[in-house]
Each structure stands twice: as structure tokens, then as C-alpha cells.
Amino acid sequence: MSRDAQCDPALHRSRRQRLLNALGEGVLLLPTATAAARNGDVQHEYRPGSDFHYLTGFPEPESVLVAWRINQRSHHSILFVRERDREREVWDGPRYGTRGVKTAFGVDEGRAIGDLSKNLIELVPLHGRLFHTLSADAALDQKLMAAFARARLRHRRTLLPAHPIICDPGPALAHERLTKDRAELVSLRKAAALTANGHMEAMRVTRPGMFEYEAQAALEATFRSGGSPRNGYQSIVASGPNACVLHYHENSRRMRSGDLLLIDAGAEVLGCTADVTRTFPVSGKFTEAQAAVYRVVLSAQAAGIRACKAGARWDSAHRACLRSLTKGLVDLGVLRGNVTRLVKQAAFKPWYMHGTSHWLGRDVHDVGGYQSMEGVVATLPVASVLTVEPGLYFGKRDKSVPEALRGIGIRIEDDVLVTKHGPEVLTQAAPKSIAAIERLMKR
Ligand code: GLY
Ligand code: MN
């Protein structure tokens, strides 16, 4: 069975009901992700669409959900899926088919995806509303336009409209997905635990002379053997100066004694991913200069995590980190002057050029608003998850910093669940104090 299949009819029914109640009267049309050809007969690895998987738990490509609300407590849902096909299943593995999808995933009806086009006019009312994100799936848009063209011809005498009002369900879906339910928290905790194990394994095996991809292999082997089908994003395994390339993923350099290794990687479990960064010395022991910078980033991160309180501005962690990092830059002799003024002037920018947090969940940079149309900053709801990931990056040729600091790039990142009782760090198991890292690497 696909490791992306989540057969929990009650869970997905309740997610669909919540969304449909939020959307109101109308029909939801939601495709999964499209499969992508790589070359010849080879496909890229398939991953179900995040919104679709959230609402159905169904893992197969070429699937579309159609659902509408009946009342506050009930709705009707149809999954259009690939039909059983003995010959294709010999090559690609078993399919649920129209009958299997109904029993295993608890939708009201399973229908053949090949019938979607001709079913659209029957299912999509010409008056009222259609919840569909135009431009997300070009093939489905085309089917819809063709159905509207047929309706326009058919209804030109009755003066019925050719199509309904089309509303984007994306914002409502993002709002639902921003706060994690119990099942998602189970997946996120598993992803976090596996990710911590992977980072620890990379720390255990890393030695001078190894290539970055060897550390990556150890890390990802731990993810895979723990049951994660894939990473939430491409692993960043960046040694020495590569750590200053924020999304480096060549992972091809041979590591040397004296280098730091920055690893930013997360395992995905049932559609949810962790996102963790650890930075450690390839030789197992921090140099004095590396330790000095590391302590600055670590205490900034601690300040950031403390700021993740329910109801606070979502960027409270960023603001706390900026202050702490700026103070650290003064202590390191990189900046001079009054810390408050330096923060206001964004004097940290040459060495800290990214944000501190993003929402985390099914997507590594998960859905969820950061501010309203009027510019009002979002606050942290209970059960939301965000990253706290400050860093400092001193380029190899950066003459504006003391020589000892050049070529040092450090980021420390954890995943924080906002609770009523304060921030809970889901990824705490990955060691991050200097003493804990050196102890682990010595063994
Ligand atoms: N883990 C990569 C990022 O947050 O951009
Ligand atoms: Mn991140």
C-alpha cells in the first residue's frame, strides 16, 4: 500500500465538513497534484497535492474531489479516480478504483476520472458558486471551460448563465490548515523525531575527508528506514563556505578538518514535514571563533523560541532574534554602536539576510497568512507550528568582519508548536548545545 495512503474516513469527512461550512453554499472542485514526466518512460516521484491529501487521505494521481455541503453536519463527496485496470496494475501496482475508494476512504461516491468532463455540467450548478482555484491545474481548467462552452450553447435561449461565480477556496483551506489537528500533530511529531534521529546520525558519521553527499546519505537513510517516504524538501548539506549559500543543495564538496557542516533537512511523514537545521564541526570540536559565533546564534534562537506565545505577533521570534543577533554582532566586534539603533538601521542585514520563521505543516513553507490586506500582522494561534531559524553568515572574502570569522556560516532551526501553555519545541531531540554536539561526535 502507498505510504501516503491515510485511510481514516471520519477524520477526512470532518475536515471536509469544516471547510465546506467555512466556504458556505456552493460546490468544491479540488484536484490532486499532477504527475510529472522526467524523461522517456520515467516519472518524477509522485506526491499527492497537499490540500487534496488533507481532505481525502487519498494517495493516487489523476484524482479530483467534488464536494458540497448539505447542512452544518453533512455533505456529499465524490472522488473521481483511476479505474481498476488489470494490465496497468501489472506495471504500476494496485489501484483502489471507484469501489475501493468509497470503502477505504469513506467518500459517498467513487466515479471514474475519465467521466469527469461529462459529469461536470451535472455537478457544477450554473447559478450559485463554484469553489475552484483557476490556474492551479491547466488540464482541469480546460475541462471546465469546455463544460461552460457547452452550457453557454445549451442555455442561450433560457437565459441561464453559462457558468457560476468562481471563488478561490485557497484562503479558506489555508486558514483550516494553519492550525493542526490531532492527526496532523501525530504525523508532525513522528516527522520531528525521525528528523532528529537523522541529524544525530549525520553527526555520528561525519569525518574530515568525507563528501557532503555521504553525510546526506546517512541522514536520509535514517529517514527512509524510519518510515518516511521522502524529504519535505531537498536536503541542504553545506560545509565550510557553502553554508553561506542559503539554499545550497549540490552537496558535492569534500569536507575538511576545521570546517563547519550546516545541515538543513526534514523527513516527511503522512504528508507532514519537519524542518531542522543543525551546524556542527566536521572534526567534532568547534574552534574558538566558531564557538563564539555559534553561541550568538544559539542564544538568539532561545530568545526567538521564548517569544512564540499564543496571541503574540507571528513575527515576535524574528524581532527577538534580530535584537539578540545584533547584540551578538557587537560582542563579536562586527558592529559598533547602540543595539536599538543598529536594529532600526537593519545593520545586521549583510550577515543575516533571511526571515526567522515560516509556518510549517504539509508544505515546508506552509500555507497560512502573515498579514491582512490592510497590513495587520497575523498573530500566533494555538496549534499552529512555525520554525525559528536564526543564522549568521560571514562570507570567505568579507573584509568587513574580523578575519577569524570569515567563512563561518551557522544556522540553528527548530519547529515550534504554539500551545496554551507556551511554545513546545517538537525537534528538541536533535542536540544543539556545543557540549551535547561534541559529546555525541566523540562517541
Ligand atoms: N528549510 C529551508 C527553508 O526553510 O527555506
Ligand atoms: Mn525553514
Side-chain angles (χ1 to χ4, degrees):
M1 192 171 77
S2 160
R3 282 184 289 171
D4 293 315
Q6 193 174 21
C7 303
D8 190 339
L11 170 72
H12 296 105
R13 180 158 279 281
S14 75
R15 285 181 185 160
R16 287 194 296 274
Q17 187 71 45
R18 248 200 338 269
L19 174 71
L20 292 168
N21 286 345
L23 289 172
E25 238 35 73
V27 173
L28 172 70
L29 180 66
L30 185 78
T32 190
T34 36
R38 201 188 87 159
N39 57 274
D41 292 331
V42 181
Q43 298 280 309
H44 280 287
E45 187 203 7
Y46 183 72
R47 177 183 183 271
S50 297
D51 285 333
F52 179 87
H53 193 258
Y54 171 75
L55 293 177
T56 64
F58 189 62
E60 294 181 17
E62 295 175 62
S63 312
V64 175
L65 171 69
V66 177
W68 60 91
R69 196 177 90 119
I70 295 166
N71 57 41
Q72 199 66 19
R73 288 154 163 271
S74 67
H75 66 271
H76 192 86
S77 50
I78 306 173
L79 261 184
F80 285 86
V81 300
R82 300 178 306 185
E83 284 186 280
R84 302 288 315 264
D85 179 333
R86 225 174 261 199
E87 198 183 325
R88 275 322 315 166
E89 288 178 54
V90 168
W91 290 89
D92 305 328
R95 301 174 175 187
Y96 283 93
T98 51
R99 247 187 289 168
V101 79
K102 199 175 149 190
T103 42
F105 295 89
V107 285
D108 300 299
E109 290 182 61
R111 293 194 196 177
I113 188 69
D115 291 339
L116 178 65
S117 284
K118 71 172 191 263
N119 282 198
L120 276 174
I121 274 305
E122 166 216 332
L123 293 170
V124 174
L126 294 182
H127 51 92
R129 295 190 294 172
L130 170 66
F131 301 109
H132 170 68
T133 307
L134 284 169
S135 80
D137 180 328
L140 183 56
D141 287 352
Q142 255 177 11
K143 286 191 181 109
L144 208 51
M145 292 309 139
F148 295 155
R150 290 197 302 275
R152 189 161 55 86
L153 288 179
R154 202 184 308 157
H155 295 296
R156 64 185 189 277
R157 283 165 186 276
T158 57
L159 295 184
L160 261 177
H163 64 79
I165 297 167
I166 300 173
C167 309
D168 181 10
L173 264 161
H175 183 76
E176 293 299 323
R177 279 176 49 192
L178 176 60
T179 52
K180 275 58 187 175
D181 58 30
R182 211 177 305 179
E184 282 177 306
L185 286 176
V186 170
S187 302
L188 277 167
R189 283 183 201 283
K190 275 192 200 150
L194 261 185
T195 299
N197 285 344
H199 279 269
M200 284 193 275
E201 185 58 15
M203 288 178 195
R204 272 186 216 108
V205 303
T206 296
R207 296 281 175 272
M210 268 174 68
F211 286 91
E212 293 165 341
Y213 53 74
E214 293 178 83
Q216 177 185 6
L219 169 104
E220 293 181 0
T222 307
F223 292 177
R224 293 300 87 77
S225 56
S228 156
R230 67 182 72 79
N231 300 352
Y233 53 97
Q234 282 182 292
S235 299
I236 296 164
V237 184
S239 65
N242 291 340
C244 297
V245 180
L246 299 178
H247 281 174
Y248 170 84
H249 44 67
E250 279 295 319
N251 305 349
S252 58
R253 180 177 173 272
R254 193 196 279 273
M255 299 181 275
R256 296 200 217 137
S257 180
D259 287 345
L260 287 175
L261 178 61
L262 180 158
I263 299 187
D264 181 343
E268 183 181 283
V269 174
L270 277 177
C272 294
T273 188
D275 179 6
V276 171
T277 308
R278 289 292 182 264
T279 309
F280 56 92
V282 165
S283 67
K285 189 130 185 62
F286 286 86
T287 66
E288 219 170 281
Q290 289 167 348
V293 180
Y294 193 89
R295 281 191 204 101
V296 167
V297 178
L298 189 62
S299 49
Q301 203 221 15
I305 291 170
R306 278 195 302 274
C308 294
K309 294 193 182 116
R313 285 169 60 119
W314 84 272
D315 61 352
S316 300
H318 185 54
R319 286 145 65 110
C321 283
L322 289 185
R323 192 165 175 88
S324 185
L325 287 174
T326 303
K327 184 178 171 306
L329 286 168
V330 171
D331 296 342
L332 290 169
V334 175
L335 288 175
R336 274 163 57 171
N338 174 277
V339 171
T340 306
R341 198 162 331 123
L342 289 168
V343 171
K344 234 183 230 156
Q345 293 164 342
F348 50 81
K349 259 274 151 72
W351 311 285
Y352 186 49
M353 60 299 275
H354 60 76
T356 300
S357 303
H358 52 80
W359 303 122
L360 182 75
R362 289 169 182 272
D363 303 341
V364 61
H365 293 180
D366 208 23
V367 293
Y370 292 100
Q371 63 175 53
S372 72
M373 286 270 286
E374 297 75 33
V376 179
V377 176
T379 55
L380 293 173
V382 168
S384 61
V385 178
L386 74 164
T387 63
V388 179
E389 49 178 309
L392 283 176
Y393 311 92
F394 300 115
K396 228 165 97 170
R397 278 178 274 280
D398 184 350
K399 296 255 166 59
S400 66
V401 302
E403 200 172 341
L405 304 184
R406 294 178 201 160
I408 294 180
I410 292 173
R411 177 164 68 252
I412 307 171
E413 174 176 27
D414 280 292
D415 305 339
V416 176
L417 168 66
V418 178
T419 82
K420 272 201 301 237
H421 314 292
E424 178 190 338
V425 180
L426 300 176
T427 44
Q428 193 70 47
K432 64 181 170 184
S433 73
I434 288 181
I437 289 173
E438 289 185 346
R439 207 177 316 121
L440 177 70
M441 294 189 73
K442 210 167 174 181
R443 269 196 258 134

CSV table of all heavy atoms in Angstrom, one decimal, residues 233-234 236 246-247 264-265 275-277 358 364-365 387 389 411 413, ligand 1:
chain,number,residue,atom,x,y,z
A,233,TYR,N,11.8,18.6,1.6
A,233,TYR,CA,12.4,19.5,0.7
A,233,TYR,C,13.8,18.9,0.5
A,233,TYR,O,14.2,18.0,1.2
A,233,TYR,CB,12.5,20.9,1.2
A,233,TYR,CG,13.1,21.0,2.6
A,233,TYR,CD1,14.4,21.3,2.8
A,233,TYR,CD2,12.3,20.7,3.7
A,233,TYR,CE1,15.0,21.4,4.1
A,233,TYR,CE2,12.9,20.8,5.0
A,233,TYR,CZ,14.2,21.1,5.2
A,233,TYR,OH,14.8,21.1,6.4
A,234,GLN,N,14.5,19.5,-0.5
A,234,GLN,CA,15.9,19.0,-0.8
A,234,GLN,C,16.8,19.3,0.4
A,234,GLN,O,16.9,20.4,0.8
A,234,GLN,CB,16.4,19.6,-2.1
A,234,GLN,CG,15.9,19.1,-3.3
A,234,GLN,CD,16.5,19.8,-4.5
A,234,GLN,OE1,16.2,20.9,-4.8
A,234,GLN,NE2,17.3,19.1,-5.3
A,236,ILE,N,19.8,20.3,2.5
A,236,ILE,CA,21.0,21.2,2.3
A,236,ILE,C,22.1,20.7,3.2
A,236,ILE,O,21.9,20.6,4.4
A,236,ILE,CB,20.5,22.7,2.8
A,236,ILE,CG1,19.4,23.2,1.9
A,236,ILE,CG2,21.7,23.6,2.9
A,236,ILE,CD1,18.7,24.4,2.5
A,246,LEU,N,22.3,30.0,1.0
A,246,LEU,CA,21.2,29.7,1.9
A,246,LEU,C,20.5,28.4,1.5
A,246,LEU,O,20.1,27.6,2.3
A,246,LEU,CB,20.2,30.8,2.0
A,246,LEU,CG,20.8,32.1,2.6
A,246,LEU,CD1,19.8,33.2,2.6
A,246,LEU,CD2,21.4,31.9,4.0
A,247,HIS,N,20.2,28.2,0.2
A,247,HIS,CA,19.6,27.0,-0.3
A,247,HIS,C,20.5,26.1,-1.1
A,247,HIS,O,20.1,25.5,-2.2
A,247,HIS,CB,18.3,27.4,-1.1
A,247,HIS,CG,17.1,27.7,-0.2
A,247,HIS,ND1,15.9,28.2,-0.7
A,247,HIS,CD2,17.0,27.6,1.1
A,247,HIS,CE1,15.1,28.4,0.4
A,247,HIS,NE2,15.8,28.1,1.5
A,264,ASP,N,20.4,21.3,6.7
A,264,ASP,CA,19.0,21.7,6.9
A,264,ASP,C,18.2,20.7,6.1
A,264,ASP,O,18.2,20.6,4.9
A,264,ASP,CB,18.9,23.1,6.2
A,264,ASP,CG,17.5,23.7,6.3
A,264,ASP,OD1,16.6,23.0,6.5
A,264,ASP,OD2,17.4,24.9,6.1
A,265,ALA,N,17.5,19.8,6.9
A,265,ALA,CA,16.8,18.7,6.3
A,265,ALA,C,15.6,18.3,7.1
A,265,ALA,O,15.7,18.4,8.4
A,265,ALA,CB,17.8,17.5,6.1
A,275,ASP,N,11.4,20.5,9.7
A,275,ASP,CA,12.4,21.4,9.0
A,275,ASP,C,13.4,21.8,10.1
A,275,ASP,O,13.1,22.6,10.9
A,275,ASP,CB,11.6,22.6,8.5
A,275,ASP,CG,12.5,23.6,7.8
A,275,ASP,OD1,13.7,23.3,7.7
A,275,ASP,OD2,12.0,24.7,7.4
A,276,VAL,N,14.5,21.1,10.1
A,276,VAL,CA,15.5,21.3,11.1
A,276,VAL,C,16.9,21.6,10.5
A,276,VAL,O,17.3,21.0,9.5
A,276,VAL,CB,15.6,20.0,12.0
A,276,VAL,CG1,16.8,20.0,13.0
A,276,VAL,CG2,14.3,19.7,12.7
A,277,THR,N,17.6,22.6,11.2
A,277,THR,CA,18.9,22.9,10.8
A,277,THR,C,19.8,22.7,12.0
A,277,THR,O,19.5,23.2,13.1
A,277,THR,CB,19.1,24.3,10.3
A,277,THR,OG1,18.1,24.5,9.2
A,277,THR,CG2,20.5,24.5,9.7
A,358,HIS,N,8.7,30.6,9.4
A,358,HIS,CA,7.6,30.4,8.4
A,358,HIS,C,6.7,29.4,9.0
A,358,HIS,O,7.1,28.6,9.9
A,358,HIS,CB,8.1,30.0,7.1
A,358,HIS,CG,9.1,28.8,7.1
A,358,HIS,ND1,8.7,27.5,7.2
A,358,HIS,CD2,10.5,28.8,7.0
A,358,HIS,CE1,9.7,26.7,7.2
A,358,HIS,NE2,10.8,27.4,7.1
A,364,VAL,N,6.8,22.7,3.5
A,364,VAL,CA,7.8,23.2,4.4
A,364,VAL,C,7.6,24.7,4.7
A,364,VAL,O,7.7,25.1,5.8
A,364,VAL,CB,9.2,22.9,3.9
A,364,VAL,CG1,9.5,23.5,2.6
A,364,VAL,CG2,10.3,23.3,4.9
A,365,HIS,N,7.3,25.4,3.6
A,365,HIS,CA,6.8,26.8,3.8
A,365,HIS,C,5.3,26.7,3.7
A,365,HIS,O,4.8,26.8,2.6
A,365,HIS,CB,7.4,27.7,2.8
A,365,HIS,CG,8.9,27.9,2.9
A,365,HIS,ND1,9.7,28.7,2.1
A,365,HIS,CD2,9.8,27.4,3.8
A,365,HIS,CE1,10.9,28.6,2.5
A,365,HIS,NE2,11.0,27.8,3.5
A,387,THR,N,8.7,27.7,12.3
A,387,THR,CA,10.1,27.4,12.5
A,387,THR,C,10.7,28.6,13.2
A,387,THR,O,10.2,29.8,13.1
A,387,THR,CB,10.9,27.2,11.2
A,387,THR,OG1,10.8,28.4,10.4
A,387,THR,CG2,10.3,26.0,10.4
A,389,GLU,N,14.6,30.0,13.1
A,389,GLU,CA,15.8,29.6,12.4
A,389,GLU,C,16.8,30.8,12.2
A,389,GLU,O,17.0,31.2,11.0
A,389,GLU,CB,15.5,28.9,11.1
A,389,GLU,CG,14.5,29.6,10.2
A,389,GLU,CD,14.3,28.8,8.9
A,389,GLU,OE1,15.3,28.5,8.2
A,389,GLU,OE2,13.1,28.6,8.5
A,411,ARG,N,23.5,28.2,11.1
A,411,ARG,CA,22.0,28.4,11.3
A,411,ARG,C,21.6,27.3,12.2
A,411,ARG,O,22.1,26.2,12.2
A,411,ARG,CB,21.3,28.3,9.9
A,411,ARG,CG,19.7,28.4,10.1
A,411,ARG,CD,19.0,28.7,8.7
A,411,ARG,NE,19.1,27.6,7.8
A,411,ARG,CZ,19.8,27.7,6.7
A,411,ARG,NH1,20.6,28.7,6.4
A,411,ARG,NH2,19.8,26.7,5.8
A,413,GLU,N,17.9,25.7,13.6
A,413,GLU,CA,16.5,25.8,13.3
A,413,GLU,C,15.7,24.6,14.0
A,413,GLU,O,16.1,23.5,14.0
A,413,GLU,CB,16.2,25.6,11.8
A,413,GLU,CG,14.8,25.5,11.4
A,413,GLU,CD,14.6,25.5,9.9
A,413,GLU,OE1,15.5,25.1,9.2
A,413,GLU,OE2,13.5,25.9,9.4
B,1,GLY,N1,14.5,24.6,5.2
B,1,GLY,C1,14.6,25.5,4.1
B,1,GLY,C2,13.8,26.8,4.4
B,1,GLY,O1,13.2,27.0,5.4
B,1,GLY,O2,13.8,27.6,3.5
